[in-house]
Amino acid sequence: MTRSKLTLTTAIAAIGLASSLGFTSTAQADYPEQDIRLVIPYGPGGATDIIFRLISQEAEQYLGESIVPVNMAGAGATLGSRNVKEADPDGYTLLGSHDTIALSKLAGTVDYSFDAFEPIALLTQTINIPTAHANHEVQSADEIADYVRENPGQVRFSMIPSSTDHFFWAQFFQEAGIDMADVRLVGYPDTGEQVSALMAEEIDFAMFNLPSGGSFFEEGTFRPLGIAHPERLESMPDVPTLRELGIEMDHSTSRGIFAPKGTPQEIQDTIAEAYGQALENEEVQSRIENEFGSVVRFLAGDDYLEFLDENEAALSAAAENIDFQN
């Protein structure tokens, strides 16, 4: 059993035990009585949208009511998060989001983070991968620091300003012992532009993952330089983890469900249990892992709070090396 599946099983068992011990209040018995609105702070069709729709479609079978995804893109994903933050805490408006909540605060875009919500459950993680074009002389992530030292001021790393990959590189430079003064960070508006830039060899390195770079890894256009995860990915068994390469760093896009502050605990537990059961479906797990290059990782309650605290601390440390331009 993988660690992710073990975590999932343990968490669901804990929820089941809690339910049997006392979560039989009237509020839980009556909830839900109508459709639940799940706000996704991005446009339709992206990995975040597809993954939340997939899991929610399975989860609503355990709730007995529909979960209706609502795409609410805009303002750097804060339009949707603010909408949920200000919604009634009755369990009928939820947020499906990821690290962008903390990133927006660290970048100075908003004045709130995870603690403005009731974090219900972590569902999946998409593992990030430092990447070079196929003709680059660097073969693995542990060679990047030496390459930068040999070419100070000339090595180009792409990123979307204030986004996940911006933080990825800041953390990578810190862990690999690279002075940010020796590199060139090149900003792009989206991942597609970064793909085009790396294909044209306008940049040396970019951060991708399997949803954004998987097909290019398969055809050999791009070279994955390491896996930012404690374990190798089953779909890329020959690519070592960053930790195996001596870079003590994990990095992923971690997607979870949030409710407005003040949502009753019984309702939070009911939602968490439904999503936990949904993730036990083997077809759902297979699609998440094989189609979307992600891993199932279910954490609820205090375990999820602890994860968010540790994740935000790591992002805050990385933010100290970033000059945000708002």
Side-chain angles (χ1 to χ4, degrees):
M1 179 181 290
T2 66
R3 189 168 68 174
S4 298
K5 292 178 179 176
L6 178 61
T7 304
L8 170 63
T9 303
T10 303
I12 291 175
I15 291 173
L17 177 60
S19 298
S20 67
L21 289 176
F23 292 152
T24 55
S25 66
T26 302
Q28 186 187 34
D30 293 342
Y31 175 84
E33 296 180 300
Q34 64 187 58
D35 291 353
I36 298 169
R37 193 171 67 115
L38 176 66
V39 174
I40 299 170
Y42 294 96
T48 296
D49 177 58
I50 294 171
I51 288 174
F52 277 120
R53 286 176 183 269
L54 171 67
I55 304 172
S56 297
Q57 189 173 28
E58 183 69 18
E60 65 185 16
Q61 299 180 34
Y62 301 100
L63 291 170
E65 297 287 349
S66 296
I67 300 174
V68 182
V70 177
N71 295 101
M72 196 174 294
T78 64
L79 181 64
S81 66
R82 191 179 295 280
N83 179 276
V84 175
K85 176 177 171 290
E86 296 172 353
D88 291 336
D90 55 9
Y92 292 105
T93 300
L94 304 175
L95 175 68
S97 192
H98 53 65
D99 315 78
T100 190
I101 298 174
L103 300 183
S104 296
K105 182 180 180 183
L106 293 170
T109 307
V110 295
D111 60 358
Y112 59 85
S113 186
F114 297 119
D115 56 4
F117 301 89
E118 302 290 358
I120 292 179
L122 174 68
L123 306 182
T124 68
Q125 291 183 295
T126 302
I127 312 305
N128 294 319
I129 303 168
T131 303
H133 57 75
N135 295 323
H136 205 285
E137 67 179 78
V138 167
Q139 300 292 311
S140 65
D142 57 337
E143 299 176 8
I144 293 178
D146 285 342
Y147 185 76
V148 170
R149 277 189 283 271
E150 293 165 1
N151 302 277
Q154 302 300 315
V155 185
R156 298 151 298 177
F157 296 79
S158 74
M159 55 87 189
I160 302 172
S162 305
S163 190
T164 306
D165 50 7
H166 197 167
F167 281 78
F168 174 89
W169 287 122
Q171 187 176 351
F172 182 89
F173 297 152
Q174 185 175 26
E175 297 298 334
I178 296 173
D179 189 334
M180 288 191 72
D182 290 339
V183 304
R184 292 174 60 189
L185 279 170
V186 184
Y188 291 90
D190 53 44
T191 301
E193 293 284 341
Q194 295 184 77
V195 168
S196 298
L198 192 60
M199 290 181 71
E201 302 183 12
E202 295 174 357
I203 53 177
D204 294 277
F205 307 108
M207 185 214 81
F208 293 136
N209 45 47
L210 285 180
S212 60
S215 61
F216 301 101
F217 298 146
E218 287 183 4
E219 67 188 27
T221 306
F222 296 161
R223 178 185 301 127
L225 302 176
I227 304 297
H229 189 58
E231 302 171 0
R232 295 191 183 197
L233 298 179
E234 291 184 6
S235 56
M236 305 177 75
D238 297 330
V239 181
T241 68
L242 293 184
R243 291 182 180 277
E244 289 179 84
L245 296 170
I247 301 169
E248 299 298 316
M249 172 182 168
D250 305 319
H251 199 277
S252 61
T253 302
S254 302
R255 298 182 175 88
I257 299 290
F258 301 84
K261 201 74 174 177
T263 301
Q265 186 63 52
E266 294 85 350
I267 290 177
Q268 295 181 47
D269 292 336
T270 298
I271 298 167
E273 184 173 4
Y275 273 92
Q277 289 176 302
L279 288 173
E280 285 199 318
N281 182 296
E282 293 184 358
E283 182 178 350
V284 170
Q285 289 183 21
S286 176
R287 292 195 62 190
I288 289 171
E289 293 172 3
N290 298 316
E291 292 184 33
F292 307 114
S294 304
V295 296
V296 171
R297 188 181 182 191
F298 182 85
L299 295 175
D302 290 343
D303 290 339
Y304 190 27
L305 290 173
E306 183 178 355
F307 170 85
L308 290 171
D309 287 342
E310 292 177 353
N311 191 45
E312 188 162 358
L315 294 172
S316 297
E320 294 177 359
N321 297 318
I322 298 176
D323 179 20
F324 293 105
Q325 303 291 328
N326 294 320

